[in-house]
Amino acid sequence: MQFSNLGSLEPHGFARTRFWTVDNDPPPFPTNSTNKAFIDLILKHSEEDVKIWPHRYEFRLRITLGPGGDLMLTSRVRNTNTDGKSFTFTFAYHTYFHVTDISEVRVEGLETLDYLDNLKNRERFTEQGDAIVFESEVDKVYLSTPTKIAILDHERKRTFELRKDGLPDAVVWNPWDKKAKTIPDLGDDDYKHMLCVEAACVENPITLKPGEEWRGRQELSAVPSSYCSGQLDPQTAFLCDKFGFA
């Protein structure tokens, strides 16, 4: 998970490298937890954090697993500053999908949208293809995206669905062969079997006044690929039989 201000902080923010604690007494979440297993985690500012980001915050994360393998991440960030100061941050869930062969994968739901290309100094372009396919390195931030995105793995005949709320943007990333060799925890050929698609809020950062709270949610599920292509109606997804992640 990324939580940063795109300033002097470490790349991708600091929340992903901090120790979280289990929250045994969380506030009510507006999610139906019937027949679902969940855990609540909490991250608060520390004296070390204040040295690099001079704000006090409370970050709550509920991780919910449904009986069919659906995974839901619900985040709540609150400004707990006592000095009256607002703070601004960007946010992204760092979700990686295992795919059979990246050259046989397509992403639907982002076609015709504007995006920022991180490989070209964040220059703005408009997606031209019917779907996103992969033939080289990709690092893009798609803007004002729909609430549902589909990742089709043709070889496995499986489609990952990403549904989101409160996160208007979406990041799509694959390092391809040359950059994969420079990433210590990624094997030289691992890029062929992974794809990062993540709900995000990047273009217009979130600003919270003291006492204010922001909420965001991302839900992941897998359905048969026969369901998908061109049918990105969220209601249809709920009617499909669900498969667990492989």
Side-chain angles (χ1 to χ4, degrees):
M1 211 170 340
Q2 299 180 33
F3 174 52
S4 73
N5 65 352
L6 289 178
S8 58
L9 297 178
E10 60 193 78
H12 304 307
F14 56 82
R16 67 193 183 95
T17 60
R18 297 298 188 266
F19 286 104
W20 295 59
T21 57
V22 175
D23 187 0
N24 293 314
D25 187 26
F29 274 73
T31 56
N32 182 3
S33 298
T34 304
N35 297 322
K36 295 180 179 180
F38 62 90
I39 188 171
D40 292 289
L41 303 178
I42 187 168
L43 179 69
K44 296 183 178 182
H45 68 277
S46 68
E47 294 308 314
E48 288 300 312
D49 291 339
V50 170
K51 294 177 182 178
I52 60 173
W53 198 54
H55 298 290
R56 296 174 179 270
Y57 65 90
E58 188 176 83
F59 187 166
R60 296 180 182 272
L61 173 66
R62 171 166 286 190
I63 304 169
T64 305
L65 186 64
D70 296 359
L71 176 68
M72 183 184 293
L73 305 172
T74 306
S75 294
R76 299 166 68 159
V77 178
R78 178 177 292 275
N79 183 338
T80 58
N81 277 334
T82 57
D83 56 8
K85 292 183 179 180
S86 301
F87 63 66
T88 299
F89 64 96
T90 58
F91 186 97
Y93 285 114
H94 238 13
T95 43
Y96 290 75
F97 297 90
H98 178 268
V99 297
T100 310
D101 181 352
I102 187 62
S103 65
E104 297 295 327
V105 169
R106 57 188 281 147
V107 176
E108 294 188 353
L110 303 176
E111 51 274 10
T112 75
L113 298 181
D114 286 357
Y115 64 86
L116 306 178
D117 194 333
N118 289 324
L119 301 179
K120 298 181 179 179
N121 296 314
R122 295 176 66 84
E123 190 175 346
R124 190 175 184 129
F125 298 92
T126 300
E127 184 62 54
Q128 300 297 327
D130 294 333
I132 300 170
V133 294
F134 301 90
E135 300 174 341
S136 61
E137 182 182 356
V138 173
D139 190 354
K140 300 176 180 178
V141 181
Y142 287 84
L143 310 174
S144 301
T145 60
T147 58
K148 184 166 161 244
I149 300 166
I151 301 106
L152 284 72
D153 186 341
H154 290 295
E155 265 195 50
R156 189 163 288 184
K157 295 182 172 59
R158 177 181 64 183
T159 295
F160 292 111
E161 292 178 349
L162 186 157
R163 294 183 290 276
K164 59 191 180 68
D165 182 55
L167 295 159
D169 306 321
V171 177
V172 178
W173 177 69
N174 182 287
W176 219 248
D177 54 349
K178 290 183 179 179
K179 184 166 287 186
K181 293 177 181 178
T182 69
I183 301 174
D185 57 355
L186 192 68
D188 290 354
D189 292 327
D190 286 350
Y191 76 93
K192 297 177 182 179
H193 308 295
M194 59 80 66
L195 178 63
C196 178
V197 181
E198 54 189 271
C201 184
V202 176
E203 183 184 28
N204 297 307
I206 303 151
T207 298
L208 295 178
K209 297 177 182 178
E212 288 185 337
E213 182 180 82
W214 168 84
R215 299 184 185 187
R217 179 181 63 86
Q218 175 177 275
E219 184 173 355
L220 306 174
S221 58
V223 299
S225 277
S226 58
Y227 135 76
C228 197
S229 189
Q231 301 180 39
L232 293 181
D233 176 8
Q235 186 60 35
T236 305
F238 292 114
L239 299 177
C240 290
D241 291 332
K242 299 289 175 60
F243 291 102
F245 293 107

